[in-house]
């Protein structure tokens, strides 16, 4: 046999005991190795240490927190606070694994109200870095210093509070240290970690120093001011307030306008009971609220706070506590989506007039039945005897605008209007069932009011116009039309200056919102299939179909197991009869499995309506009279989400007098 093919003793040793057939005995790991393994889960980089130490400072009741860094936190990282401090007798316990003052029983763990609770952060950090704690308890004569490596306890000088110093991170695990990035990159991560805490606690002052120089500082301030200081003033100017209270749940914060969307998801902050989290369910709810107002793959911006009872959320599901699990995920998803939709429903025309109606505050407040007992989105909300019971003083209850009427005769003739059939690339769903929604008259299956023609669209159709009173021209947010350019843009004058409107995009949004309103007033009719459609399903899809049978029926779907590995679709929404039923079923089941809620049916319906609105809207190169232009402007002012068309493109832009002066260098 060739010697080169024979295994050698060295090669067998290099392959390890498992490869050579040797067996290792089961034994307990040493405490230091256990701590280093735990540190690998908790501490990824210096910013992880910042997060844990600032959590402890906030739990101690600090009102001022300072972060001092050297070499991006790799060489030295100090967190100082003015909290309650730690008694000298408890300092040695503070660096032991699973030693904490925050929980003591299972009931405490199931209703955690503090930022930290596991008691493992200091022990994990001390196993991979040089750690020292200096703390002075309230009423103590002086402070005490504890060196974690030696356990030595000695007197020290310090005001009330605690300082935790971490030096030479990963000094004893060089393989971990090699994965750290440059000092500037690690500094940026540390700043971001502190920024997340600063947004959650505007009542606490924060300061960060690097190499002895002040990098950033935020003094205690009201939440709007703190958001402006941390994220910049532009975010405040280009965002809407969100405020919803549903039983024991409160959702508040700010959500950026669609035109303020970014190419990266780097300005998205969600907090649950003051804790920064990255939760897929909440992110999906917010993203779905932007479905028909974002252009392309842009990412929305938001700072959203969700306050719920601690026992309704489990924060002990991730080593770094950055993920949570809700007891009623569907309710959270629906209410977050509803709150963001309500804020986005307001148009920027509200900002174009100094006297906006108080009812359009963008705030929504429910009363009556607690959130956890209320039906899912789409079911009727509980009625109040007075109509406004439970609304806080000074907070107007959210009332959606009055529904639009069906399109006028220009779009629906005596024989009924038929939308041009789009190409397969435009939509994979048939339009024939949706065209009935766009035909006028009660025969289309819409409410009786839908048969009345719209005054503005009748004007666009050529009906005798009514002149715009000159006394009201300055009161309209979008002003008075003055001209049309190239058959594409409408120019209007308002109190701020010049308004430029893309007439096709604007009218497309108007028609689209009217179709959505008409569709929302009807239930989802299902259509039985002559031959059930079957498809091979995963165990997760079969389990979801069985558990969510009632939800699927409300969405117009009847999906049931045919065998252990096959699902059968027996009914589907009548409006979507031309689409791929298997693809639709899989999409709905996937969303229900992951988020306990699905808007796949609604999105598919809205895609049809968007195509119809695009074909039904006034086309470019059509010459409009001034009265027709004014009618379009008035329709925009009454339409939700009128700032973007169905594809997320802007519908109008404002040029102020100052902007115009700048173009011509006036006053310089």
């Amino acid at each position: 046999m060739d010697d080169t093919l024979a295994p050698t003793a060295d090669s067998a040793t290099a392959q390890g005991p498992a490869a050579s057939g040797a067996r290792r005995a089961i034994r307990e790991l040493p405490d230091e190795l256990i701590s280093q393994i735990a540190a690998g889960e908790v501490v990824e980089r210096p910013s992880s240490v910042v997060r844990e130490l600032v959590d402890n400072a906030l739990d101690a009741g600090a009102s001022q927190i300072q972060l001092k860094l050297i070499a991006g936190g790799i060489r030295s990282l100090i967190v100082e606070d003015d909290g309650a401090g730690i008694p000298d007798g408890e300092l040695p316990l503070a660096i032991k694994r699973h030693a904490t003052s925050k929980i003591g029983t299972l009931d405490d763990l199931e209703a955690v109200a503090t930022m930290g609770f596991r008691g493992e952060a200091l022990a994990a950090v001390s196993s991979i870095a040089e750690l020292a704690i200096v703390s002075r308890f309230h009423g103590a004569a002086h402070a005490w210093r504890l060196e974690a490596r030696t356990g030595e306890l000695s007197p020290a000088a310090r005001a009330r509070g605690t300082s935790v110093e971490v030096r030479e991170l990963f000094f004893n695990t060089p393989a971990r240290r090699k994965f750290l990035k440059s000092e500037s990159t690690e500094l940026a991560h540390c700043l971001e970690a502190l920024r997340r805490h600063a947004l959650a606690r505007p009542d606490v002052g924060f300061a960060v120093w690097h190499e002895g120089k002040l990098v950033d500082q935020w003094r205690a301030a009201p939440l709007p001011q703190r958001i402006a200081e941390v994220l910049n003033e532009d975010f405040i100017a280009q965002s809407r307030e969100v405020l919803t209270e549903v039983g024991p749940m409160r959702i508040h914060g700010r959500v950026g306008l669609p035109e303020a969307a970014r190419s990266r998801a780097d300005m998205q902050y969600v907090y649950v009971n003051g804790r920064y989290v990255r939760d897929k369910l909440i992110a999906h709810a917010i993203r779905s609220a932007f479905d028909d107002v974002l252009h392309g793959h842009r990412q929305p911006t938001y700072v959203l706070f969700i306050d719920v009872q601690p026992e309704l959320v489990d924060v002990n599901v991730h080593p770094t506590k950055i993920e949570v699990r809700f007891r009623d995920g569907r309710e959270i998803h629906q209410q977050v989506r509803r709150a963001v939709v309500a804020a986005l429903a307001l148009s920027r025309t509200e900002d174009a007039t100094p006297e906006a109606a108080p009812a359009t505050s963008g705030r929504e407040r429910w009363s009556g039945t607690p959130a956890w007992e209320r039906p899912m989105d789409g079911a009727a909300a509980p009625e109040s005897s007075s109509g406004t019971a439970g609304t806080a003083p000074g907070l107007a209850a959210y009332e959606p605008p009055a529904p639009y009427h069906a399109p006028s005769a220009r779009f629906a003739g005596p024989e009924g209007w038929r939308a041009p059939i789009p190409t397969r690339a435009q939509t994979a769903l048939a339009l024939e069932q949706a065209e009935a929604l766009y035909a006028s008259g009660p025969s289309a299956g819409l409410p009786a009011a839908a048969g009345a023609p719209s005054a503005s669209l009748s004007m666009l159709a050529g009906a005798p116009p009514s002149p715009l009173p000159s006394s009201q021209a300055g009161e309209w947010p979008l002003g008075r039309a003055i001209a049309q350019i190239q058959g594409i843009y409408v120019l209007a004058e308002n109190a701020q200056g010049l308004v430029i409107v893309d007439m096709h995009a604007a009218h497309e949004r108007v028609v689209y919102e009217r179709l959505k309103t008409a569709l929302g007033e009807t239930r989802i009719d299902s259509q039985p299939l002559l031959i059930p459609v079957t498809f091979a399903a995963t165990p997760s899809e079969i389990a979801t179909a069985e558990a969510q049978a009632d939800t699927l029926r409300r969405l117009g779907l009847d999906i049931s197991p045919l065998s252990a590995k096959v699902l059968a679709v027996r009914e589907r929404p009548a409006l979507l009869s031309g689409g791929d039923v298997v693809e639709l079923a899989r999409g709905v089941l996937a969303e229900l499995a992951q988020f306990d809620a699905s808007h796949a049916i609604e999105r598919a319906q809205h895609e049809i309506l968007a195509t119809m609105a695009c074909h039904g809207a006034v086309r470019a190169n059509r010459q409009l009279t001034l009265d027709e232009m004014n009618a379009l402007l008035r329709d925009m002012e009454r339409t939700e989400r009128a700032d973007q068309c169905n594809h997320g493109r802007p519908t109008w832009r404002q040029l102020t007098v100052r902007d115009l002066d700048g173009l011509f260098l006036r006053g310089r």
Side-chain angles (χ1 to χ4, degrees), residues 409-428:
R410 177 176 180 270
F411 304 109
E415 301 299 326
W417 180 82
R418 296 185 62 82
I421 302 299
T423 64
R424 186 177 182 86
Q426 290 173 314
T427 177

Side-chain angles (χ1 to χ4, degrees), residues 116-132:
F117 55 89
R118 294 196 185 114
E120 61 181 1
L122 291 177
V125 173
S126 66
S127 68
I128 56 173
E130 297 287 349
L131 183 140

Side-chain angles (χ1 to χ4, degrees), residues 403-409 440-442 447-455 457-458 514:
Y404 273 89
H405 303 302
S408 65
S440 61
S454 165
L457 289 182
S458 296
R514 293 169 59 180

